[in-house]
PDB file of all heavy atoms in Angstrom:
ATOM      1  N   GLY A  67      45.226  -9.628 -70.954  1.00 97.00           N
ATOM      2  CA  GLY A  67      44.108  -8.625 -71.054  1.00 97.00           C
ATOM      3  C   GLY A  67      43.062  -8.988 -72.038  1.00 97.00           C
ATOM      4  O   GLY A  67      42.509  -8.149 -72.725  1.00 97.00           O
ATOM      5  N   LEU A  68      42.775 -10.316 -72.114  1.00 98.00           N
ATOM      6  CA  LEU A  68      41.832 -10.792 -73.175  1.00 98.00           C
ATOM      7  C   LEU A  68      40.360 -10.755 -72.712  1.00 98.00           C
ATOM      8  O   LEU A  68      39.508 -11.030 -73.571  1.00 98.00           O
ATOM      9  CB  LEU A  68      42.220 -12.182 -73.640  1.00 98.00           C
ATOM     10  CG  LEU A  68      43.517 -12.272 -74.439  1.00 98.00           C
ATOM     11  CD1 LEU A  68      43.839 -13.711 -74.779  1.00 98.00           C
ATOM     12  CD2 LEU A  68      43.467 -11.425 -75.698  1.00 98.00           C
ATOM     13  N   ILE A  69      40.121 -10.434 -71.453  1.00 96.00           N
ATOM     14  CA  ILE A  69      38.713 -10.319 -71.047  1.00 96.00           C
ATOM     15  C   ILE A  69      38.054  -9.133 -71.795  1.00 96.00           C
ATOM     16  O   ILE A  69      38.597  -8.028 -71.749  1.00 96.00           O
ATOM     17  CB  ILE A  69      38.549 -10.155 -69.501  1.00 96.00           C
ATOM     18  CG1 ILE A  69      38.977 -11.419 -68.819  1.00 96.00           C
ATOM     19  CG2 ILE A  69      37.105  -9.807 -69.125  1.00 96.00           C
ATOM     20  CD1 ILE A  69      39.030 -11.355 -67.303  1.00 96.00           C
ATOM     21  N   GLY A  70      36.995  -9.414 -72.484  1.00 95.00           N
ATOM     22  CA  GLY A  70      36.338  -8.319 -73.247  1.00 95.00           C
ATOM     23  C   GLY A  70      36.827  -8.270 -74.666  1.00 95.00           C
ATOM     24  O   GLY A  70      36.371  -7.382 -75.429  1.00 95.00           O
ATOM     25  N   HIS A  71      37.742  -9.110 -75.083  1.00 97.00           N
ATOM     26  CA  HIS A  71      38.240  -9.099 -76.457  1.00 97.00           C
ATOM     27  C   HIS A  71      37.052  -9.417 -77.402  1.00 97.00           C
ATOM     28  O   HIS A  71      36.351 -10.406 -77.215  1.00 97.00           O
ATOM     29  CB  HIS A  71      39.360 -10.120 -76.643  1.00 97.00           C
ATOM     30  CG  HIS A  71      40.113  -9.988 -77.895  1.00 97.00           C
ATOM     31  ND1 HIS A  71      39.587 -10.313 -79.128  1.00 97.00           N
ATOM     32  CD2 HIS A  71      41.361  -9.562 -78.141  1.00 97.00           C
ATOM     33  CE1 HIS A  71      40.477 -10.085 -80.083  1.00 97.00           C
ATOM     34  NE2 HIS A  71      41.579  -9.634 -79.516  1.00 97.00           N
ATOM     35  N   LYS A  72      36.904  -8.590 -78.430  1.00 97.00           N
ATOM     36  CA  LYS A  72      35.694  -8.688 -79.284  1.00 97.00           C
ATOM     37  C   LYS A  72      35.615 -10.086 -79.936  1.00 97.00           C
ATOM     38  O   LYS A  72      34.514 -10.649 -80.015  1.00 97.00           O
ATOM     39  CB  LYS A  72      35.749  -7.593 -80.352  1.00 97.00           C
ATOM     40  CG  LYS A  72      35.514  -6.204 -79.811  1.00 97.00           C
ATOM     41  CD  LYS A  72      34.031  -5.997 -79.462  1.00 97.00           C
ATOM     42  CE  LYS A  72      33.801  -4.742 -78.624  1.00 97.00           C
ATOM     43  NZ  LYS A  72      33.945  -4.888 -77.162  1.00 97.00           N
ATOM     44  N   LYS A  73      36.735 -10.597 -80.451  1.00 98.00           N
ATOM     45  CA  LYS A  73      36.658 -11.888 -81.167  1.00 98.00           C
ATOM     46  C   LYS A  73      36.255 -13.028 -80.229  1.00 98.00           C
ATOM     47  O   LYS A  73      35.576 -13.945 -80.619  1.00 98.00           O
ATOM     48  CB  LYS A  73      38.034 -12.220 -81.789  1.00 98.00           C
ATOM     49  CG  LYS A  73      38.301 -11.520 -83.042  1.00 98.00           C
ATOM     50  CD  LYS A  73      39.526 -12.072 -83.720  1.00 98.00           C
ATOM     51  CE  LYS A  73      39.835 -11.224 -84.944  1.00 98.00           C
ATOM     52  NZ  LYS A  73      41.206 -11.233 -85.336  1.00 98.00           N
ATOM     53  N   ILE A  74      36.713 -12.898 -78.997  1.00 98.00           N
ATOM     54  CA  ILE A  74      36.375 -13.972 -77.999  1.00 98.00           C
ATOM     55  C   ILE A  74      34.923 -13.850 -77.635  1.00 98.00           C
ATOM     56  O   ILE A  74      34.239 -14.883 -77.575  1.00 98.00           O
ATOM     57  CB  ILE A  74      37.327 -13.824 -76.767  1.00 98.00           C
ATOM     58  CG1 ILE A  74      38.763 -14.045 -77.187  1.00 98.00           C
ATOM     59  CG2 ILE A  74      36.902 -14.771 -75.668  1.00 98.00           C
ATOM     60  CD1 ILE A  74      39.804 -13.876 -76.122  1.00 98.00           C
ATOM     61  N   GLU A  75      34.458 -12.683 -77.444  1.00 98.00           N
ATOM     62  CA  GLU A  75      33.021 -12.492 -77.094  1.00 98.00           C
ATOM     63  C   GLU A  75      32.128 -12.975 -78.248  1.00 98.00           C
ATOM     64  O   GLU A  75      31.111 -13.607 -78.022  1.00 98.00           O
ATOM     65  CB  GLU A  75      32.737 -11.039 -76.753  1.00 98.00           C
ATOM     66  CG  GLU A  75      33.405 -10.655 -75.426  1.00 98.00           C
ATOM     67  CD  GLU A  75      32.978  -9.273 -74.919  1.00 98.00           C
ATOM     68  OE1 GLU A  75      32.363  -8.534 -75.689  1.00 98.00           O
ATOM     69  OE2 GLU A  75      33.305  -8.988 -73.756  1.00 98.00           O
ATOM     70  N   LYS A  76      32.567 -12.679 -79.455  1.00 98.00           N
ATOM     71  CA  LYS A  76      31.761 -13.102 -80.638  1.00 98.00           C
ATOM     72  C   LYS A  76      31.706 -14.629 -80.720  1.00 98.00           C
ATOM     73  O   LYS A  76      30.619 -15.224 -80.961  1.00 98.00           O
ATOM     74  CB  LYS A  76      32.440 -12.511 -81.903  1.00 98.00           C
ATOM     75  CG  LYS A  76      31.533 -12.541 -83.096  1.00 98.00           C
ATOM     76  CD  LYS A  76      32.174 -11.771 -84.258  1.00 98.00           C
ATOM     77  CE  LYS A  76      31.522 -12.231 -85.558  1.00 98.00           C
ATOM     78  NZ  LYS A  76      32.346 -11.997 -86.712  1.00 98.00           N
ATOM     79  N   ALA A  77      32.869 -15.259 -80.461  1.00 98.00           N
ATOM     80  CA  ALA A  77      32.917 -16.725 -80.525  1.00 98.00           C
ATOM     81  C   ALA A  77      32.009 -17.304 -79.444  1.00 98.00           C
ATOM     82  O   ALA A  77      31.301 -18.316 -79.708  1.00 98.00           O
ATOM     83  CB  ALA A  77      34.331 -17.167 -80.290  1.00 98.00           C
ATOM     84  N   ALA A  78      31.976 -16.680 -78.265  1.00 98.00           N
ATOM     85  CA  ALA A  78      31.134 -17.230 -77.179  1.00 98.00           C
ATOM     86  C   ALA A  78      29.643 -17.115 -77.560  1.00 98.00           C
ATOM     87  O   ALA A  78      28.868 -18.030 -77.349  1.00 98.00           O
ATOM     88  CB  ALA A  78      31.414 -16.450 -75.893  1.00 98.00           C
TER      89      ALA A  78
END
Side-chain angles (χ1 to χ4, degrees):
L68 291 178
I69 292 176
H71 193 289
K72 290 285 167 274
K73 280 191 184 154
I74 296 175
E75 290 188 348
K76 196 171 159 202

